[in-house]
Amino acid sequence: MRKFLMPSLIIVGALLLLIRIFYLQVINDSFKLKSDNNAIKIKYDYPERGYIFDRYGKLLVSNQASYDIMVIPRELKNIDTLEFCQLLNITKEDFIEKLAKAKVYSPRLPSVFLPQLNKSEFAAFQEKLRKFEGFYFQKRSLRDYEVDFGANVFGGITQVNEQLIAKNPYYNSGDLIGTQGVEESYEEILRGIKGVKYFQKDKYNREIGSYKDGKYDTIAVQGEDINLTLDAELQKYGQQLMINKRGGIVAIEPKTGEILALVTAPSYDPSILVGRQRSKNYTLLYYDSIAKPLYDRGLLAEYPPGSPFKILTGLIGLQEGVVDEQTTFMCHHGFSYGRGRFMKCHSHLPSQQLNNGIYNSCNTYFANVYMRTINKYAKPSVAVDVWSNHVKSFGLGQFMGYDLPTGKRGNIPDSKTYKRIYPNGGWRSTTIISNSIGQGEVLMTPIQLANMMATVANEGYYYTPHIIKKIKGTAIDPKFKVKHQTTIDKKYFKPMISGLFDVYNLGTARALRVEGIDIAGKTGTAENFAKIGGKRVKLEDHSIFVAFAPKDNPKIAIAILVENGGYGAAIAGPIASLMIEKYLRKKITRTDLETKILNTSLKDRYAKLGGMKEASAIETTPKDSIGNKNGMTNFSPIDSIKQN
């Protein structure tokens, strides 16, 4: 039997090889198509990208006609370079440089010589195109923005680079691809499928008709339209409120995880990154180290959350059974936790329980709760891991899984963190007491803060935040329908929500009430430090506010952070009240708050910090978390390109 095995394998292998050769050479001649490349001209038909709408069907992004001037270097003959350059408004040096790049790509294959001409730019050239053999045009569509806001959400489109072409055979030189925002996240849905047409050429390189009667031609398929979860009017309003300020606003629908607004400031009009001026404008934005308008602070900037974090400190204390609603701590303007160590507090009545501890934002109350939580366990390393796991169950300290291509984890410390910081041990609850009030090693992004409040509004669960609401002809990712439950029992959220409601009625936000809307919220003021001349200097605090409304059956949860904005109720708080009323009522009754915020500019404050940086070579610390490690900078002078 064995003596027949090897001959049998050889015979079977030979038969399979012959069958494959017959298939490739006789039945399937697609490889012949590739081998005949020199005699075949390929033209691509680019589809329109899918349109982008808001949650109510308002058109946000459409398309406009555009023309790329293409070149096949080997086919150039007797070009009047001067006339060509005059028609396209380029210099001779530009012509030489672009042609050289095309030759490097391929002398035989077409490549983009000059992209994205609009109708008026193309009209004059089209009349004389026949004079420039080797050049032709390719029609495609560019984005046409119906609004002047939301650039950070939409993203943009740009030409593919060689590295991407090598990785993905779908793209060719000169093709466009979505970058950043939803254009990147939903590229394969929005781009559609380009059509291909093959034309036979004769020995004189002239087209003589369709190759094989169009057997291999394909029709372009338009990209699918998508609806975002954004409320366009709310997004626009948020950007208006953040003019001359720096920071982020994130609003979420608690019951679904849908992102209602995602504001970063400063921002820019998305239309400046379309057409022939795109490269110039993008360069200005990219190298703006002052305002950093391309930096999405709502998703990327990591800040100490300050007093809003007390919500979690309280919930964990209740869950761990170290306090209840009636547990009382005495506060005498602060909390002493060691020799010479004193955590200051606001002026209020000495006796503090959960409810008034929340609405008075009492540092002493929450420091005591945190100490009891950590001291409950024999080892602080075990205790801090228990505490950390509770916090992380709210989606913090990790990538959240939303459908935008950028983000940061934030930081929720655990025992590994402190073993790294204190390799010789010796740390205890008093060492890390700053965590209790959202300082210390705790860092969060604005979208994490907003999701935390959505979770509280839902009394213990959340859905992964997402920006996509509907895709024509396609279901959205099922992961956005998965309910994430926290480690905190539902019964503990009701007393916490009661305290948050009293923040507006009796506490730090009572001046921000909106008649007829029950809002639950929390002010926050996060400390902010920088190294100046080698010394650690305290700078203006960040203004933070988190809220949801209505208190019963919440429809919006929101987080606002204004860099160097001071007290939480000064700037961030009014913005929260205005955004909530705008979403729920579509109008504003607190016009006094609106006037105040629209007229508030922090440009002078940022200018002062920028001057300090230039004079003293500021190197910010990680706790500064201004959204970038360079931190204190002035606003940039890019008003010429419509920066918002």
Side-chain angles (χ1 to χ4, degrees):
M1 184 69 181
R2 290 183 180 177
K3 67 179 181 180
F4 296 110
L5 179 60
M6 187 58 67
S8 300
L9 289 174
I10 293 172
I11 292 170
V12 171
L15 283 172
L16 291 173
L17 185 61
L18 288 171
I19 292 169
R20 180 63 176 166
I21 292 171
F22 177 79
Y23 173 77
L24 293 175
Q25 292 190 348
V26 179
I27 298 174
N28 183 355
D29 54 0
S30 62
F31 284 86
K32 183 175 183 299
L33 174 64
K34 295 180 180 179
S35 70
D36 288 345
N37 236 351
N38 290 340
I40 297 171
K41 183 175 182 178
I42 301 173
K43 289 185 179 179
Y44 292 102
D45 183 13
Y46 290 91
E48 281 196 66
R49 287 180 77 85
Y51 284 28
I52 300 176
F53 301 85
D54 85 340
R55 66 187 294 109
Y56 303 116
K58 176 182 172 64
L59 180 62
L60 304 175
V61 185
S62 58
N63 300 299
Q64 57 181 303
S66 170
Y67 304 86
D68 290 347
I69 305 302
M70 309 293 292
V71 64
I72 303 175
R74 196 178 71 168
E75 297 181 6
L76 295 186
K77 293 180 182 178
N78 303 320
I79 297 296
D80 185 338
T81 307
L82 182 60
E83 183 181 12
F84 184 93
C85 291
Q86 287 175 341
L87 284 170
L88 292 176
N89 193 27
I90 62 173
T91 65
K92 186 175 180 180
E93 290 72 21
D94 287 336
F95 179 91
I96 294 170
E97 181 184 352
K98 292 177 184 298
L99 186 58
K101 286 183 179 179
K103 288 179 179 177
V104 169
Y105 172 69
S106 173
R108 298 183 297 102
L109 297 176
S111 61
V112 177
F113 182 84
L114 193 64
Q116 303 181 9
L117 277 67
N118 60 34
K119 286 182 179 179
S120 60
E121 291 171 326
F122 176 68
F125 179 77
Q126 184 182 24
E127 292 179 3
K128 299 188 177 182
L129 179 61
R130 56 183 174 76
K131 297 174 63 176
F132 306 113
E133 192 171 349
F135 287 96
Y136 68 97
F137 73 90
Q138 187 164 261
K139 186 177 179 181
R140 66 169 82 220
S141 62
L142 294 180
R143 281 316 207 185
D144 188 14
Y145 295 96
E146 309 298 324
V147 296
D148 62 358
F149 54 83
N152 62 309
V153 177
F154 305 142
I157 54 175
T158 188
Q159 285 191 36
V160 294
N161 55 38
E162 292 180 7
Q163 291 82 1
L164 190 104
I165 294 171
K167 290 180 182 177
N168 192 331
Y170 176 84
Y171 297 101
N172 299 298
S173 178
D175 282 6
L176 300 177
I177 189 171
T179 177
Q180 301 179 333
V182 296
E183 295 280 16
E184 180 176 334
S185 295
Y186 293 97
E187 160 68 7
E188 292 187 8
I189 290 169
L190 289 168
R191 76 184 181 195
I193 302 173
K194 61 188 174 186
V196 184
K197 292 184 178 180
Y198 300 92
F199 295 91
Q200 187 79 44
K201 295 187 292 184
D202 63 16
K203 63 182 180 180
Y204 300 107
N205 209 35
R206 296 174 301 192
E207 288 185 21
I208 57 174
S210 177
Y211 178 74
K212 286 192 176 292
D213 296 323
K215 177 180 178 181
Y216 298 104
D217 293 354
T218 59
I219 298 173
V221 179
Q222 183 173 344
E224 297 289 355
D225 297 341
I226 64 174
N227 285 75
L228 304 184
T229 59
L230 282 190
D231 179 329
E233 290 304 312
L234 188 67
Q235 177 78 15
K236 178 181 179 180
Y237 189 56
Q239 288 196 200
Q240 289 173 341
L241 296 175
M242 289 295 287
I243 290 175
N244 294 327
K245 306 168 191 69
R246 197 188 304 166
I249 301 173
V250 183
I252 294 174
E253 185 179 67
K255 292 295 188 289
T256 62
E258 294 178 355
I259 298 172
L260 303 172
L262 180 59
V263 176
T264 182
S267 188
Y268 59 93
D269 184 333
S271 66
I272 67 172
L273 296 185
V274 176
R276 291 179 68 181
Q277 297 302 310
R278 181 192 186 280
S279 180
K280 172 187 171 184
N281 290 336
Y282 183 82
T283 300
L284 286 170
L285 294 172
Y286 182 81
Y287 287 105
D288 178 6
S289 61
I290 297 173
K292 294 191 176 294
L294 293 175
Y295 189 80
D296 192 334
R297 287 169 165 84
L299 301 177
L300 291 170
E302 298 170 296
Y303 306 92
S307 291
F309 195 78
K310 294 172 182 175
I311 298 169
L312 299 188
T313 301
L315 288 170
I316 293 169
L318 293 170
Q319 181 68 35
E320 288 295 312
V322 297
V323 293
D324 57 28
E325 295 175 55
Q326 284 73 44
T327 303
T328 303
F329 298 106
M330 302 304 291
C331 176
H332 301 287
H333 307 294
F335 176 66
S336 179
Y337 58 99
R339 184 178 298 176
R341 295 183 177 183
F342 189 75
M343 182 187 291
K344 293 182 180 179
C345 194
H346 311 289
S347 178
H348 49 65
L349 293 174
S351 178
Q352 296 293 300
Q353 298 176 332
L354 178 65
N355 187 269
N356 60 349
I358 281 287
Y359 72 69
N360 286 324
S361 197
C362 179
N363 288 344
T364 299
Y365 177 85
F366 290 99
N368 274 291
V369 173
Y370 184 76
M371 279 188 62
R372 285 195 178 187
T373 301
I374 300 301
N375 293 339
K376 173 184 175 181
Y377 296 86
K379 293 182 179 180
S381 58
V382 174
V384 81
D385 282 340
V386 170
W387 169 85
S388 182
N389 289 334
H390 281 309
V391 175
K392 289 176 180 176
S393 74
F394 286 76
L396 308 179
Q398 57 198 297
F399 293 116
M400 299 184 70
Y402 49 69
D403 53 341
L404 287 163
T406 190
K408 286 288 184 70
R409 291 177 181 270
N411 187 58
I412 302 301
D414 55 19
S415 61
K416 293 179 181 177
T417 306
Y418 296 112
K419 286 175 184 176
R420 187 167 57 250
I421 297 173
Y422 305 102
N424 298 321
W427 60 277
R428 55 187 64 85
S429 59
T430 53
T431 313
I432 58 176
I433 196 69
S434 294
N435 289 336
S436 65
I437 58 171
Q439 297 283 164
E441 285 66 48
V442 176
L443 293 174
M444 293 169 62
T445 61
I447 193 170
Q448 289 176 326
L449 270 170
N451 189 63
M452 180 191 81
M453 284 308 283
T455 308
V456 175
N458 290 335
E459 299 183 7
Y461 70 89
Y462 70 91
Y463 292 97
T464 300
H466 52 283
I467 201 72
I468 193 71
K469 187 169 181 69
K470 184 172 66 175
I471 303 171
K472 186 178 179 181
T474 308
I476 67 171
D477 195 322
K479 74 177 183 179
F480 300 131
K481 303 290 186 181
V482 176
K483 181 186 287 188
H484 302 277
Q485 201 76 39
T486 70
T487 57
I488 308 299
D489 294 341
K490 181 177 180 179
K491 63 182 179 181
Y492 295 123
F493 285 91
K494 291 189 182 301
M496 180 59 66
I497 290 171
S498 178
L500 294 172
F501 180 56
D502 283 339
V503 168
Y504 265 87
N505 294 314
L506 305 170
T508 53
R510 56 187 176 275
L512 307 178
R513 287 178 294 183
V514 178
E515 191 67 33
I517 300 178
D518 291 337
I519 306 176
K522 183 73 190 74
T523 50
T525 308
E527 290 187 337
N528 175 27
F529 295 89
K531 285 183 180 177
I532 303 176
K535 297 181 179 179
R536 190 168 184 260
V537 178
K538 188 177 186 303
L539 302 175
E540 191 75 42
D541 294 334
H542 299 320
S543 179
I544 305 174
F545 201 92
V546 294
F548 61 84
K551 179 175 74 74
D552 301 317
N553 191 25
K555 293 180 172 57
I556 180 173
I558 193 165
I560 295 94
L561 194 145
V562 180
E563 293 175 3
N564 309 104
Y567 180 52
I571 298 179
I575 291 175
S577 293
L578 291 168
M579 290 286 285
I580 287 170
E581 184 176 24
K582 182 71 171 179
Y583 180 66
L584 295 179
R585 289 179 171 166
K586 311 303 180 187
K587 63 180 182 178
I588 297 297
T589 60
R590 287 299 307 266
T591 54
D592 57 323
L593 293 181
E594 183 179 59
T595 301
K596 173 190 172 183
I597 294 302
L598 292 176
N599 291 332
T600 296
S601 172
L602 301 183
K603 291 179 71 173
D604 290 343
R605 193 171 295 179
Y606 298 138
K608 179 182 177 182
L609 295 172
M612 292 168 64
K613 178 184 177 184
E614 290 182 11
S616 306
I618 291 180
E619 179 190 346
T620 58
T621 64
K623 289 181 185 177
D624 187 21
S625 297
I626 306 281
N628 62 76
K629 291 187 179 180
N630 295 326
M632 273 50 62
T633 49
N634 190 2
F635 269 75
S636 78
I638 316 182
D639 293 336
S640 60
I641 58 169
K642 304 198 305 191
Q643 184 180 350
N644 291 328

